[in-house]
Structure formats: structure tokens, C-alpha cells
Amino acid sequence: MTSAARAAAHRAEIQRTITPVDGSTYVERPLASIEEVARAVERARAAQAAWRERGVAERAGLMSALVDAFVAKRDEIAQGITWQMGRPIRYSAGEVRGFEERARHMIAAAPQALADLDPGPKQGFRRFIRRDPVGVVLVIAPWNYPYLTAVNAVVPALMAGNAVILKHSHQTPLCAERMAEAAGAAGLLVGLLQAVHMSQATTGEAIRRLPIDHVAFTGSVSGGAAIEGAASGSFIGVGLELGGKDPAYVRADADLAHAVENLVDGAFFNSGQSCCGIERIYVHGRLYDEFVERAAALTSAYVLGDPTDPDTTLGPMVRASAAEFVRGQMAEALRQGARALIEESSFERSRPGTPYLAPQVLVNVDHSMRVMKEETFGPAVGIMKVASDEEAVALMNDSDYGLTAAIWTGDEEAAIALGGKLETGTVFMNRCDYLDPALAWTGVKNSGRGVTLSVLGYEHLTRAKSFHLRAPASA
């Protein structure tokens, strides 16, 4: 096939987003050919050459204008989130607020993060380390938190002097477009932030063939492995934010009411479709029975329904196949001896073959069950009784993932001591399922590689350049 014929075939491919709200086609977009992606990268390189010469303060002013332009369309953006991936409309605007919080923090952090590093005086020499931009950054963002995941890489990449090619999930293509539109409204250089819709195959080909300098990927473990494979041998940087099976431990001294309220929300917000959502809970025996009783009662109060209805508190999963995966995982656990505390029939909208799935609390679970070991990514949580801190830590670490872990206790020193033993990227005390932009967001084991947010989030988006200057002999 000639290159012209191949390009025509690619252009004929259409990306269709099926909304989980009612199963209709919500948006269609043509997929870019590799030649079209190459032209986008060429525009990005041209824009980046000029952008990197602008000072951090000038970049900050333009990036703040981008955030202003984005936030000004919060209602339209919130509605788009709900229709594309199913989050209840009452919560969708919160993602716009979170985008703004993280973006403004990373803009403010840039002067410190990008400042020259002085190793100290040495007679007759001037020495410093400068942070140079890497060049063109490909950001691949998922559907579950389409803006909150993208902002972690897009804003610091641009602030560091890079250009960005933004590819969102096929489920949320409008999100990339909204961010690129905000860049245009703010007056950023043409080509500096571009939304590109492309297939998985074209994405891999672009990473292998085109002059892309860094890939920031958020998604599944298998997706991360595919990105690493595409980048293999090219020596470009790869940042991976992958899955989680995040645990929580409720110690005997925990505030029970607070723990129940926050952990139920941490398990079921966004229909459990969060890499840092709570998927397994370990409760000290002294509190176990009451915790389980209260958690089940609170879970039963959710309202599963049409996410465009302001009264809905639990929307559909992203697609019917995702709901069926969770159903299968739970059914297997029940066959192995687990017990379900929530009566699915009390949630009228929950039906097999649809993306609407009732929330579920499982007890009598153990680590022989997939529901306690493998990522669920849905509205189901298992609760186990433990007898000690040591048992809880061992179970929390018994996972291929390590993104976050939450400890509920009245003893801060105990939380720090236990946190030091946990194999995780973030340790929470008395909270969960939250990203503080001032702290490094990172994972261990299968949860990923690299860091976003905080001043450390700039490191993989820049390269170090050392200046070693000897004073002239006549000086």
C-alpha cells in the first residue's frame, strides 16, 4: 500500500464515543493518520523552539490565562464529563475545580522547580545546573478523570518550556479539545498544545518513529507495558501512572463515624473508577462489626440512576463490559465463600448487560480471592477483620500494586511508623482518594514509574545541563 493510500485509509477511520448514559453515540471524530500526527509534531517542535526562549514569568502569565479560559467554561465542561463517561452531574464540576487547583499550584511552583541549582562556591569558578526542556511531550490521558490526570503533565510540561501533543481516551475526546481551545483563547503559540485523536496502533507508531522526547501515560498496566514497548530502544523518557488496589486500615483507636463516611465515599465515588479509590479495607477486630454495619447502611443510601439528574449520587460505569467484569469478580468471590451485604434488587436501575451497577460491600473475604488482589475498578469493596497493626501491614503490602494506602487512627506517630513499612507511593492518615498538588504523586510496583505534581513533577519534563565556568586567567 502506498503512503497516500495508507493515509486515506487512516482518514476513513472514525472514533465513536458511546455515552454510558443511554448508549447513544455522543461524539464522532476522525482518527489521524501517522502522516497527520507527524505534521502535528513538526508544528509542536517549531512552537517549542520559540516558547523555550520565553522566561518563566511570561509563561506563567499565559498559562494562568489558559486556566482562566478553561474555568470560564466550567458548566459546558462539566456536562461533557457526565455525558462522555457517566459521572453524576452533581460532581462533574468538581473536576474543573480540581483542575484549577492543580494547574495554579504547578504554575506557582515553576520558579522554584526550574531555578538554577548552585552546588556551592569554588574559587576561580562559577558552577550551576540548569533545567532545560526536553522538547515535545506526548501526554496520553484516560477517561476516568480526564482533566485531573491530564493537568498533572500538561501544565508542568508547558511551564518547563516544552510543547505538548495531547491524546485523550476515545471515551473522552472532547476533553483534549477543550484544553487545546483554552490554550488558543489564552494566546499560546499555535502548535504549542495540540489535541490529536489517534488509534492505539498509530500512537505506538508515533512513539517509535517520530521525534517525540517524552511520553506521559496514565492508564492500565497493560497499556503502560505497550507504551514501554513502543519506546524501547529510543531512549526517550516515559512516565507511567498505572493501576491500584488501594488499601485502608482502620485501627482500634480510629474515629469510627469519620472512617466509615470517608472510606465509603473513597470506595464508591466515580462508581469506583479511580486508580487511587479504596478497593480493600482492613478493620481492627474491636471496631469491625460496627464498621461493617455502618458501611453497609451508608452504601445502601446511594442513588443509582441517570447521571444527568442532580439527585443521582452513583452513575453508570463507563461501559457495560466494565460492569460485567466487576460482576464476574464478585460472583467468583461469592462462590469462594464471600458474603454480599447489599441487596442489588433494591437498586432498580442495576441490571446485567448495562453499565448500571449497584454498589456492593463484601465480607468473609480473603486474599485467595481476586476481589482482594486484582484491580476491580468498580463499585465494590471487600472488608476484612484484622487483629493487629502487623497483620494489617502484611495484608496491605500483599499486592502487585502500590499507589496509595490510608490509615485511620488518632495516633499520628503510629501512622508515620506504619506508613514507613508500607510499599506505596502515598500514605494517608484519616483521608483517602485525594491528590495534594504540593506532594509528589508516584507509585511503586505495578502502579507505575515516575513522579507528577510538586516540584519533583518537573524533573522528568526537563533535562539537566551543567555549566562549569573557569574565570579568565587575567581576572
Side-chain angles (χ1 to χ4, degrees):
M1 182 182 289
T2 66
S3 60
R6 188 168 60 249
H10 275 291
R11 280 196 293 274
E13 293 184 38
I14 299 295
Q15 169 183 306
R16 292 180 175 84
T17 298
I18 306 301
T19 174
V21 177
D22 59 12
S24 64
T25 298
Y26 183 65
V27 63
E28 294 183 341
R29 290 291 185 271
L31 292 172
S33 67
I34 189 63
E35 290 81 7
E36 290 167 327
V37 178
R39 290 193 288 274
V41 173
E42 185 178 348
R43 289 191 296 271
R45 298 201 77 82
Q48 192 268 335
W51 177 247
R52 64 172 295 162
E53 299 303 320
R54 303 199 179 186
V56 172
E58 185 178 358
R59 291 181 210 152
L62 287 164
M63 290 301 295
S64 294
L66 182 155
V67 177
D68 292 341
F70 183 84
V71 172
K73 294 192 173 183
R74 63 170 61 82
D75 292 341
E76 176 184 342
I77 289 169
Q79 185 180 60
I81 292 172
T82 293
W83 277 95
Q84 287 173 94
M85 55 77 60
R87 185 177 308 144
I89 192 65
R90 66 189 290 155
Y91 303 128
S92 290
E95 183 150 353
V96 180
R97 292 191 294 272
F99 174 98
E100 181 178 15
E101 177 192 24
R102 294 187 196 178
R104 296 202 191 282
H105 179 87
M106 294 305 289
I107 292 168
Q112 175 189 353
L114 299 173
D116 291 346
L117 300 177
D118 184 351
K122 183 176 182 180
Q123 187 172 359
F125 293 88
R126 181 186 175 197
R127 303 175 302 163
F128 60 91
I129 304 167
R130 181 154 291 169
R131 305 299 307 185
D132 271 3
V134 295
V136 175
V137 177
L138 172 62
V139 177
I140 304 174
W143 53 264
N144 61 324
Y145 286 93
Y147 295 109
L148 290 183
T149 51
V151 70
N152 293 353
V154 170
V155 170
L158 292 170
M159 280 301 304
N162 300 295
V164 171
I165 303 290
L166 178 57
K167 178 203 176 302
H168 259 89
S169 161
H170 289 191
Q171 193 67 39
T172 51
L174 296 182
C175 296
E177 294 179 12
R178 296 292 173 262
M179 292 178 69
E181 288 167 6
L188 267 67
L189 296 170
V190 174
L192 199 61
L193 173 57
Q194 299 174 73
V196 177
H197 307 301
M198 50 182 161
S199 68
Q200 182 177 342
T202 301
T203 301
E205 188 176 2
I207 294 170
R208 287 189 294 271
R209 288 180 46 192
L210 301 182
I212 292 168
D213 302 292
H214 183 86
V215 182
F217 173 83
T218 303
S220 67
V221 174
S222 60
I227 295 298
E228 277 203 325
S232 177
S234 64
F235 307 113
I236 67 174
V238 175
L240 304 173
E241 183 187 327
L242 308 178
K245 189 69 181 176
D246 290 12
Y249 171 38
V250 182
R251 295 184 81 230
D253 66 340
D255 180 328
L256 184 62
H258 186 223
V260 169
E261 179 185 0
N262 281 258
L263 286 173
V264 168
D265 179 70
F268 299 124
F269 187 81
N270 208 40
S271 297
Q273 299 169 125
S274 173
C275 57
C276 60
I278 296 298
E279 295 207 358
R280 49 197 175 108
I281 303 174
Y282 306 97
V283 184
H284 193 278
R286 289 186 209 166
L287 299 180
Y288 177 82
D289 290 339
E290 189 174 0
F291 180 94
V292 168
E293 181 181 355
R294 291 192 185 192
L298 186 55
T299 301
S300 296
Y302 276 89
V303 178
L304 175 66
D306 182 346
T308 65
D309 183 342
D311 291 332
T312 293
T313 57
L314 190 72
M317 294 191 66
V318 68
R319 57 184 68 91
S321 60
E324 290 307 300
F325 172 84
V326 179
R327 288 181 188 278
Q329 200 180 71
M330 290 192 295
E332 181 183 273
L334 294 174
R335 290 193 298 271
Q336 294 173 312
R339 183 163 60 93
L341 300 184
I342 308 301
E343 184 59 55
E344 184 177 1
S345 62
S346 63
F347 290 84
E348 185 178 320
R349 194 72 181 258
S350 184
R351 291 189 298 275
T354 77
Y356 289 86
L357 177 63
Q360 188 56 267
V361 176
L362 298 172
V363 295
N364 296 349
V365 292
D366 60 49
H367 278 220
S368 70
M369 302 173 183
R370 283 193 305 141
V371 76
M372 295 299 286
K373 294 279 287 182
E374 297 181 12
E375 190 170 30
T376 301
F377 218 65
V381 65
I383 306 178
M384 282 183 67
K385 181 192 295 186
V386 295
S388 66
D389 289 351
E390 291 73 22
E391 183 183 7
V393 168
L395 289 167
M396 294 168 88
N397 284 339
D398 184 27
S399 173
D400 292 333
Y401 298 97
L403 190 57
T404 79
I407 302 168
W408 298 82
T409 178
D411 187 338
E412 184 177 291
E413 291 306 313
I416 294 172
L418 293 175
K421 300 175 184 178
L422 292 172
E423 299 164 355
T424 189
T426 296
V427 176
F428 291 113
M429 172 179 158
N430 298 335
R431 79 173 313 170
C432 60
D433 194 25
Y434 175 76
L435 278 70
D436 183 335
L439 297 175
W441 187 245
T442 185
V444 300
K445 297 189 276 191
N446 283 356
S447 286
R449 186 181 72 193
V451 175
T452 58
L453 300 179
S454 79
V455 293
L456 300 183
Y458 278 90
E459 291 188 356
H460 67 290
L461 298 167
T462 57
R463 58 170 60 95
K465 177 184 288 184
S466 293
F467 286 77
H468 194 167
L469 313 175
R470 184 197 293 270
S474 59

